[in-house]
Structures are given as structure tokens and as C-alpha cells.
Amino acid sequence: MLAVMTFEDITGDGCLWAVRYAGDPDNILAMTFEKWNDQDWLKDFFVANSCDLSSYFKITNLNQAIYDTISDAQELECVILDSISSDKLDSLFKPLENLRASEVLLGKEKAKGARNFRHDSWLRLYAIRFQRNSYLVTGGAIKLTHTMQEREHTLEELRKLEKVRNFLLSEGACDMDGFYDLIQNKR
Amino acid sequence: MKTIDILNKYKSDTASKWREEAEYRRRNARWLRYSAMIALQVRNRMSQIGMTQVVLAEKLGCTQQHISMLLKGKNNLTLETIAKLEEALDFDIIGKALIPVDGYAQDVTQSHRTYLSEPEQAPYGKNK
């Protein structure tokens, strides 16, 4: 039976992984940045989501949105590279729910792009945290609305997080050592 | 079972190239941004005057695939290519950004103008 997903070790040391969904040409981290640098894809996306762009970010110029995305993606990529080399992935990723009060096994996390001089970054990476400073990227999205539930493409990212987490749990994932370590060394 | 063991159990056969590509994009960030900006300007101009990729390719004497690649904003464009794009689309991409020396002609897009006065263009040692 073909696996519904495989995993790629991004850093080579087991700290940052990315899911490669069945049928995809590459892992989701590489595919996400590829899209965020593809002007054809970005144009189609912002045309389809122009209402959110103007109502939430007050941006009506699609070229500005495309340029900001490419620029923010470059910045985010550099932050990831720096976080990898300095073992600071825990500083990059934050709990998906802003009000999460306690640590959970295989917690759902997000990484945001830094604010540019015009507006907050709309770029998001989504990941599962499985032990201290160790993450599995499940996807990424351009989030233009307040909540992820409001739009299909961000809702799909929630489904992917759940699907990957359930897959790991079904395989018997239970990092109790890492979990205790995580509680004791609260971020 | 530890998650890392599950990840290794289902590890992909192919190695990820993301880090390598990201390092490349970081090393070349500045010109990649310029390339993206130029591609955006060219796209804008093409839709403004209703020019297709096929027509632009004909004017530049290249293939439509080449134009398509160029419009992705990842190509290291030569000055020659940029100048040809400016001519084919009859608009300015970088000309206005090139600040000429004080006192010389401002409009670099007009080929009949020169930066140097006639005596200055003459080889050294002459006209003295």
C-alpha cells in the first residue's frame, strides 16, 4: 500500500521536517516557497481574494500585494535559515491558538512572516511540534482574514494539520520524554 | 514510539533541496528582487497596451517560452535584454533610475542625446 504521506528531513539533523503528500512533486515547505515566489500563481491568488485584500489590508494594487509577498517570503526564508543554524526554531514557531494555555503532545504551531513597512505579513507556515526545537511542517498559506475558518484555503491547512497529527498518533507517536522536557523548559 | 522514529520510518527516498534553494535565494536576494520588480512592471505594461507574450517574443526575436520564464521574475536579466524590453514596450524600466552626472542630459531613453559634449567625446589629446 502506498503511504498517503512521506517525510523529508530538511535540516539533516532531524530538527525540521516537511511532509511530502502523495502525488506532490516536492515537500510542502519547498512547494510553499515556490508558490510564494511565482508571480503567475500570486496574481491568480490575489485576483481571487481581492476582496479580502482590500477589506482587511486596504490594498487595491495587486502588484503591490505580489511584490510584498515575494519580499516577505525572502525575509521569512532567511529567518528560518537563521533559526535552523542557531537552534532557535522554538522562537520562530508559536502555538496555533493564540490563547493556548497548556502544552499538548504534537501541538499545532504556526510561524508568521515579519511585519514589513506597510503591513503585517500575511504569510503563515503551519507545523506540528514533536519535541523541543523540532518541527514537522504540514503546509503554508497566505492568510488575509482574521480566522482560518473563514476561507477554504486556510481551512484546508487546518485539515492538513489534523490529518498529519492523526497519522502520527495512529502510528503510536508518544514523545513523553520530549513532552516532559517541553513542560519543564517552558518556551 | 517516538515521533522521530515514525518520521524516519516514512522518510522520503528523495533528499530535500529546499535548504539549498533557500541559501541560493538569500545569496542572490538583491538581484532577484530587481528581477521580480522588472517582471511586474513588464506584466503591467503588457496588459496596459494589450501586448501578448507571442508578440513580445517576436519583437525581441526570442521564443514565447523565454518570455514566460522572464515574466516569472527569477531571471538574471542583462542590460541588453532590459533595453530591448523598454524599446519593444515603449516604456521606461530602469532608465530614469540611472542618475546622470550633473549638467548632462537627463533622458537616457532618447538615443540621439549623449552624456558627453562634443569636445569631451573626442579622443584625449585632440581639440586642445
Side-chain angles (χ1 to χ4, degrees):
Chain A
M1 189 182 78
L2 283 172
V4 290
M5 64 185 86
T6 53
F7 307 104
E8 291 191 8
D9 187 352
I10 301 294
T11 48
D13 62 359
C15 280
L16 186 67
W17 293 71
V19 178
R20 183 173 186 150
Y21 296 99
D24 278 357
D26 210 333
N27 71 66
I28 198 67
L29 183 68
M31 284 179 67
T32 300
F33 277 101
E34 183 71 30
K35 279 195 299 190
W36 290 347
N37 280 286
D38 182 337
Q39 294 195 12
D40 290 319
W41 186 89
L42 289 173
K43 188 184 170 194
D44 291 344
F45 176 85
F46 285 118
V47 166
N49 294 276
S50 57
C51 290
D52 292 339
L53 194 61
S54 57
S55 56
Y56 287 89
F57 287 89
K58 314 296 178 210
I59 293 173
T60 50
N61 184 335
L62 294 189
N63 279 351
Q64 185 193 323
I66 293 170
Y67 180 73
D68 286 352
T69 305
I70 293 170
S71 183
D72 287 356
Q74 274 191 0
E75 295 289 335
L76 179 59
E77 211 166 40
C78 288
V79 172
I80 297 171
L81 288 171
D82 289 342
S83 301
I84 289 169
S85 53
S86 57
D87 286 338
K88 285 184 178 164
L89 284 172
D90 279 343
S91 307
L92 174 67
F93 286 97
K94 304 289 175 203
L96 185 65
E97 308 87 6
N98 292 330
L99 299 174
R100 188 200 293 168
S102 57
E103 296 292 349
V104 292
L105 271 175
L106 303 177
K108 297 172 187 172
E109 313 275 324
K110 67 185 172 200
K112 288 171 69 169
R115 183 186 165 80
N116 63 41
F117 71 95
R118 270 195 282 262
H119 53 78
D120 282 336
S121 175
W122 44 60
L123 303 183
R124 300 285 186 279
L125 283 176
Y126 301 103
I128 302 273
R129 185 180 197 261
F130 57 92
Q131 63 185 38
R132 192 164 170 267
N133 215 42
S134 302
Y135 293 82
L136 168 62
V137 177
T138 63
I142 295 176
K143 182 171 174 275
L144 299 174
T145 53
H146 183 58
T147 65
M148 293 177 75
Q149 286 80 2
E150 287 173 70
R151 293 292 173 266
E152 181 55 34
H153 71 279
T154 39
L155 195 56
E156 179 59 21
E157 294 303 318
L158 283 176
R159 291 193 200 107
K160 278 153 68 179
L161 273 164
E162 191 63 21
K163 183 179 169 183
V164 175
R165 186 169 188 270
N166 285 342
F167 176 81
L168 294 173
L169 289 172
S170 73
E171 287 289 319
C174 187
D175 300 87
M176 291 314 286
D177 293 346
F179 185 55
Y180 290 134
D181 182 41
L182 189 152
I183 293 170
Q184 283 166 4
N185 298 290
K186 271 256 182 186
R187 286 178 262 178
Chain B
M1 192 177 194
K2 282 182 178 288
T3 304
I4 191 81
D5 298 327
I6 299 168
L7 298 179
N8 276 313
K9 180 180 168 187
Y10 291 98
K11 192 173 176 178
S12 171
D13 294 333
T14 49
S16 172
K17 286 183 182 166
W18 173 80
R19 194 169 182 175
E20 196 182 313
E21 289 165 359
E23 303 268 12
Y24 169 84
R25 286 192 281 263
R26 171 185 254 185
R27 280 195 309 275
N28 298 283
R30 187 174 284 244
W31 75 255
L32 279 169
R33 276 190 202 206
Y34 292 160
S35 183
M37 282 191 263
I38 289 171
L40 274 172
Q41 285 195 41
V42 170
R43 281 167 184 273
N44 223 20
R45 180 64 180 164
M46 285 172 71
S47 80
Q48 203 176 48
I49 61 174
M51 188 182 284
T52 64
Q53 290 188 19
V54 175
V55 174
L56 183 58
E58 279 171 12
K59 281 179 170 266
L60 261 65
C62 64
T63 62
Q64 188 257 324
Q65 285 80 6
H66 183 75
I67 298 295
S68 175
M69 283 297 294
L70 186 151
L71 291 177
K72 287 188 184 298
K74 297 173 188 174
N75 276 27
N76 192 352
L77 304 169
T78 62
L79 287 172
E80 183 184 359
T81 304
I82 296 169
K84 281 183 177 174
L85 282 168
E86 288 185 327
E87 282 167 9
L89 293 162
D90 191 26
F91 87 131
D92 184 80
I93 300 175
I94 62 166
K96 287 195 178 80
L98 300 173
I99 304 165
V101 179
D102 285 346
Y104 293 126
Q106 298 264 331
D107 191 353
V108 295
T109 61
Q110 291 186 25
S111 57
H112 65 276
R113 293 202 182 172
T114 55
Y115 284 115
L116 302 174
S117 64
E118 291 299 327
E120 284 171 319
Q121 287 183 70
Y124 287 114
K126 293 186 178 178
N127 295 330
K128 280 191 174 179

